[in-house]
Amino acid sequence: MIKTEQKWDVIIIGGGIAGLTASIILAKANKKVLILDKGKHVGGRAITAEKAEGLLNLGPHAIYPNGPGVQILKQLNITLQGGSPAPKGTLVYQNKSYPLTLSPFALLTSKLLKWKDKREFIKLISGLSKIDTQTIQHTSLYNWVETHLKEEKVKELFYMLCRLSSYSNDPKRSSAGRIIEQVKLGLTGVTYLDGGWQTLVNQLKEQAITHGVFIQENKHIIEINGTHPNMTLIEQSGQTYTGSHVISTSTPANTLAMVKTKQPSSLKKWSEKCIPVKGAFWDIVLKKNSNLKVKFALGLDEPLYYSVHSAVANLTTKPDLHVIHLGKYLSIDDKIDPKKNQNQLERFLTSVEPNWEKELVFQRYFPSLTVYHALPTTDLPVITPEVPEISGLYVAGDWVTAKGLLADASITSAKTAANAVLTPKKELHHVI
Ligand SMILES: Cc1cc2nc3c(=O)[nH]c(=O)nc-3n(C[C@H](O)[C@H](O)[C@H](O)COP(=O)(O)OP(=O)(O)OC[C@H]3O[C@@H](n4cnc5c(N)ncnc54)[C@H](O)[C@@H]3O)c2cc1C
């Protein structure tokens, strides 16, 4: 039980991966930390649901073992177990299936590509590590591709790799530097976690509690008032919480709406500039009556994804089930048509696994989920964890500028926000 008049060193709005990570770092530094989450359970978008004895993440989730987030998780004694999908499968182009592989040798036998395509694609992949992504942060992916690639098929193949590793499907707006960095990371391999991402959430929660963090669920914060060291949060029911510092891991727009102290112009600018990256996702569980022919497939001329996550990770409580994630990478300009997108995903599944309907035991469809809150555009401003106008207010999440994209950004920004609380910037004094 917490006393309502208790004063916290840090109150964190949101107990997703960002909030939990920040809480552990702060609690280990002897801060009194409270997490308030509006959900029934902490975990945010990293939760896993058990459905028909299959463990389903919220859409396809893969961790980047060589990304900056995992390095921080390791420092927090989080262990991540799972399997890595092989970088091969099926490529669907104009409703026909072709072998998909990134191995240059196997590429040579591809019937989809002409010699000139193969030559250019091999040159592109083998030269990726040498690209200085810092110099092309403000160049659009589209402009980079048009300048560096000639063959149409190779352009499409590269866009497909960009979608796969970054989930984004907006080459004209996205930064070539940020997306290519993500492709390089993706090519070093990904891991599907045994038990789903819930195992990550559970370990973070356990660590947080062990280090003395208080967690309260079903607490929807609607107002952030005051400045350091007297900050007050108001919950929907009217209950108030007071603390010296507040870290918001909510969305940019919600964080802006909650702040009542004064209009923070930087938060307003960030919120206006953040373009969410969205997808339509279809999670399914199939009976394992027959072995699946295809474990992984991507659309070349359509932005579609299919992967049997249970083929490499332990995701079922029964051995005779397949857990499959499908998705369509949405572009900002797409008018969301849920039925049309679902039909397109069904057609895609039928083209790789024609008999799926007979084996279906569970399905759920999300017409539009936000994968992360800030597409790395060519003009996205640097979003610092400290909100400059309000001392004591910090932000963290996958829209805050840190290292990496997706959960990497959530984890690295959480660490940066926690460190900023622990070592606040000294006020600048002008020496005359
Ligand atoms: C379909 C899909 C696929 C993805 N695939 C990958 C992947 O393959 N690899 C990868 O690295 N990442 C992936 N991600 C992204 C990853 O899930 C997120 O980046 C990460 O989980 C975000 O964590 P977070 O803590 O920043 O935000 P969230 O998980 O959104 O957590 C924020 C929390 O704050 C709470 N909250 C918000 N507002 C309030 C309020 N006012 N009061 C109280 N509580 C509040 C919410 O309830 C929530 O629990 C994917 C996401 C989706 C949706």
Side-chain angles (χ1 to χ4, degrees):
M1 258 316 257
I2 61 164
K3 297 188 197 111
T4 41
E5 72 275 12
Q6 180 158 2
K7 187 162 176 192
W8 300 89
D9 292 325
V10 191
I11 306 178
I12 301 176
I13 304 172
I17 286 183
L20 290 168
T21 301
S23 78
I24 301 168
I25 297 170
L26 289 161
K28 282 173 95 172
N30 296 320
K31 297 290 173 197
K32 276 195 297 172
V33 186
L34 172 66
I35 292 180
L36 299 168
D37 197 295
K38 66 180 177 184
K40 275 198 225 130
H41 308 284
V42 291
R45 281 166 286 156
I47 51 165
T48 306
E50 188 175 334
K51 300 284 179 190
E53 294 170 282
L55 298 171
L56 298 173
N57 289 322
L58 197 60
H61 270 75
I63 206 115
Y64 293 86
N66 299 311
V70 168
Q71 310 317 316
I72 296 171
L73 295 177
K74 280 185 187 156
Q75 289 159 12
L76 300 179
N77 293 324
I78 307 293
T79 49
L80 302 171
Q81 273 168 357
S84 298
K88 59 179 193 177
T90 294
L91 192 71
V92 181
Y93 180 66
Q94 295 181 342
N95 297 321
K96 282 201 195 126
S97 295
Y98 298 87
L100 162 69
T101 175
L102 296 175
S103 130
F105 176 73
L107 251 187
L108 296 178
T109 60
S110 166
K111 289 198 174 72
L112 177 66
L113 302 179
K114 299 202 171 81
W115 268 110
K116 54 183 184 170
D117 300 328
K118 291 175 188 172
R119 228 183 6 246
E120 188 172 59
F121 190 64
I122 290 170
K123 193 170 151 222
L124 168 70
I125 296 296
S126 53
L128 266 187
S129 62
K130 293 186 206 96
I131 297 173
D132 180 0
T133 51
Q134 281 310 313
T135 57
I136 49 170
Q137 298 283 317
H138 302 291
T139 304
S140 76
L141 180 63
Y142 174 82
N143 281 347
W144 188 88
V145 165
E146 288 305 311
T147 316
H148 292 82
L149 302 176
K150 231 169 65 199
E151 307 304 334
E152 287 310 313
K153 282 269 170 50
V154 178
K155 290 179 189 174
E156 284 185 278
L157 273 170
F158 189 56
Y159 283 139
M160 183 190 79
L161 278 185
C162 293
R163 291 193 293 266
L164 176 66
S165 45
S166 73
Y167 282 83
S168 74
N169 186 14
D170 279 284
K172 289 196 173 160
R173 292 185 180 87
S174 51
S175 148
R178 299 285 306 278
I179 302 289
I180 293 173
E181 267 164 36
Q182 191 66 15
V183 172
K184 287 188 197 181
L185 178 65
L187 288 174
T188 67
V190 299
T191 305
Y192 298 162
L193 296 182
D194 286 342
W197 276 40
Q198 193 67 44
T199 55
L200 167 58
V201 171
N202 291 349
Q203 286 184 70
L204 285 169
K205 183 177 172 184
E206 205 180 296
Q207 287 278 348
I209 292 171
T210 306
H211 287 97
V213 175
F214 276 82
I215 298 177
Q216 294 230 310
E217 285 141 349
N218 291 310
K219 299 290 179 196
H220 190 164
I221 299 305
I222 51 168
E223 280 191 28
I224 304 172
N225 292 298
T227 55
H228 174 74
N230 298 310
M231 306 200 67
T232 306
L233 300 185
I234 303 182
E235 206 260 323
Q236 220 167 26
S237 66
Q239 193 174 351
T240 59
Y241 299 87
T242 55
S244 299
H245 304 87
V246 170
I247 301 178
S248 171
T249 67
S250 190
T251 63
N254 283 343
T255 303
L256 177 67
M258 281 188 282
V259 176
K260 302 294 175 201
T261 311
K262 60 177 173 183
Q263 261 282 327
S265 55
S266 49
L267 200 48
K268 187 163 184 288
K269 185 172 94 189
W270 299 339
S271 171
E272 284 163 359
K273 284 275 180 190
C274 284
I275 301 173
V277 173
K278 294 184 181 223
F281 296 98
W282 187 28
D283 304 336
I284 61 174
V285 181
L286 299 186
K287 272 185 283 180
K288 221 179 198 172
N289 283 346
S290 52
N291 264 340
L292 295 176
K293 285 193 297 270
V294 180
K295 304 279 184 342
F296 180 68
L298 293 172
L300 184 61
D301 50 346
E302 294 181 295
L304 303 176
Y305 167 99
Y306 157 98
S307 181
V308 185
H309 282 232
S310 56
V312 294
N314 200 345
L315 286 167
T316 60
T317 50
K318 244 187 178 178
D320 57 342
L321 292 173
H322 296 293
V323 170
I324 303 176
H325 290 282
L326 289 110
K328 176 175 180 181
Y329 305 97
L330 298 176
S331 150
I332 299 149
D333 304 316
D334 280 345
K335 206 175 136 278
I336 295 176
D337 183 337
K339 199 70 216 146
K340 189 171 142 239
N341 289 341
Q342 191 172 14
N343 289 342
Q344 195 179 3
L345 287 166
E346 283 187 12
R347 257 190 292 110
F348 190 59
L349 179 57
T350 307
S351 72
V352 286
E353 281 302 331
N355 297 319
W356 65 270
E357 248 165 320
K358 283 192 231 141
E359 315 290 347
L360 187 70
V361 286
F362 177 80
Q363 60 173 322
R364 63 178 187 184
Y365 174 62
F366 301 101
S368 172
L369 279 183
T370 296
V371 180
Y372 54 107
H373 292 292
L375 175 76
T377 53
T378 50
D379 64 347
L380 188 66
V382 171
I383 301 177
T384 57
E386 292 116 328
V387 177
E389 297 85 358
I390 301 179
S391 93
L393 179 61
Y394 302 80
V395 288
D398 53 26
W399 52 282
V400 180
T401 313
K403 287 192 189 137
L405 294 182
L406 297 146
D408 275 331
S410 285
I411 298 165
T412 52
S413 65
K415 182 177 175 178
T416 317
N419 285 342
V421 169
L422 295 173
T423 47
K425 272 188 195 147
K426 290 203 178 74
E427 280 188 31
L428 290 176
H429 296 288
H430 293 284
V431 181
I432 302 168

